[in-house]
Amino acid sequence: MALAKGLHLVVLVSLLAYSSNAQLFPNFYGARCPNLQSIVRSVMSQTVAQDPSMGASILRLFFHDCFVNGCDASVLLDDTATFQGEKNAGPNANSLRGFQVIDAIKSRVEAACGGVVSCADILALAARDGVNLLGGPSWTVLLGRRDSRTASFSAANSNLPSPSSSFNTLVSVFASKGLGIRDLTALSGAHTVGQARCTNFRSHIYNDPNVNPSFSGARRNMCPQSGGDGNLAPLDFQSPNRFDNGYFQNIMNRAGLLHSDQELFNNTPADAFVRVYSRNSAIFAADFVTAILKMGNISPLTGTNGEIRVNCRKTN
């Protein structure tokens, strides 16, 4: 009970801090769309029940949206004659999924309250519910984002960290978004769920020295040195569909799937956070909530900026 109260206090303080930095508020839609959150929860519950990995995929969509010119749903836009969207950028192509889930939520929200709720806010709510439905924490989502009218293929290629990123690169990328090492480490804990393609961890399991031999041997069985690029492995082999602190226990045992994962426990300032999170899931949960609230507040479009899309895949 004390841990629960402590987590609630941290979340409350975080909400007060980040709602003051932009025009985002928990009750932004109020009477205009009173059933919004229950609609999102209903679709996400059905989705995760059918495919638990989709919870991780929606969370990743949110991350890839916010890190490219802010949390504005630009990642959801299809290519047009006037701009190349972000879906086919290097970090996203043949990798991002869950667009149809956001479409399904948007369709139901439009039926309930047309032209009111942004795709950016729907994505933020869906990411929260995906985490919680997989056993992770919940939090109050700040709302009021509007949708962008364009997307950036080039920014998607340059602003997102890669699976081969060094620790210094990770720190630099996160710092450019106003996120510190503690935020970086906590948000990386999202890799307690989801999967990665062989092409993204092949070099790590064959070439890096700081990998547990038994772990790399098991991964090599399904990720050969050539071919099998699309073969999938769980980011957290202990509990791939459970949002817990197993990810940190893995990297302490040199069993991080990606090079960038293992960089967080490789004689760097992040080591201390990894140790704490591996022992205390409540501290990890609290820090994750604090960090994702900060991430969700990256350069939102508010007021009269942007638009409220009717279709999340195209501008009005």
Side-chain angles (χ1 to χ4, degrees), residues 18 63-71 155-156 158-161 170-180 183 187 291 293-299:
Y18 306 124
F63 173 82
H64 282 228
D65 182 40
C66 291
F67 263 58
V68 180
N69 298 329
C71 309
S158 61
N159 290 6
L160 291 163
L170 292 170
V171 171
S172 176
V173 170
F174 276 68
S176 71
K177 308 301 178 185
L179 301 167
D183 303 313
L187 287 172
L293 283 168
K294 290 172 70 173
M295 187 185 82
N297 201 40
I298 297 174
S299 305

Side-chain angles (χ1 to χ4, degrees), residues 60 63-64 68 86-96 153-163 197 200:
R60 187 164 182 259
F63 173 82
H64 282 228
V68 180
E86 298 164 18
K87 290 182 177 180
N88 292 310
N92 297 338
N94 302 311
S95 176
L96 283 187
F153 179 84
S154 60
N157 277 320
S158 61
N159 290 6
L160 291 163
S162 80
R197 299 167 66 227
N200 288 325

Side-chain angles (χ1 to χ4, degrees), residues 40-41 44 48 54-66 101-102 105 119-134 136-139 141 145 190 193 243 288 292 295-296:
V40 176
R41 183 74 176 195
M44 286 301 296
V48 173
M54 195 57 75
S57 295
I58 298 298
L59 177 59
R60 187 164 182 259
L61 264 183
F62 186 44
F63 173 82
H64 282 228
D65 182 40
C66 291
V101 177
I102 302 302
I105 297 172
C119 299
D121 278 344
I122 286 173
L123 181 53
L125 288 166
R128 185 271 312 274
D129 286 348
V131 168
N132 184 238
L133 287 164
L134 293 175
S138 187
W139 58 92
V141 177
R145 301 169 189 81
V193 290
F243 197 98
F288 179 83
I292 203 166
M295 187 185 82

Side-chain angles (χ1 to χ4, degrees), residues 1-14 137-138 281-290:
M1 182 66 71
L3 287 175
K5 288 182 178 178
L7 177 58
H8 177 75
L9 179 60
V10 169
V11 172
L12 178 60
V13 171
S14 298
S138 187
S281 59
I283 294 177
F284 163 52
D287 281 3
F288 179 83
V289 168
T290 297

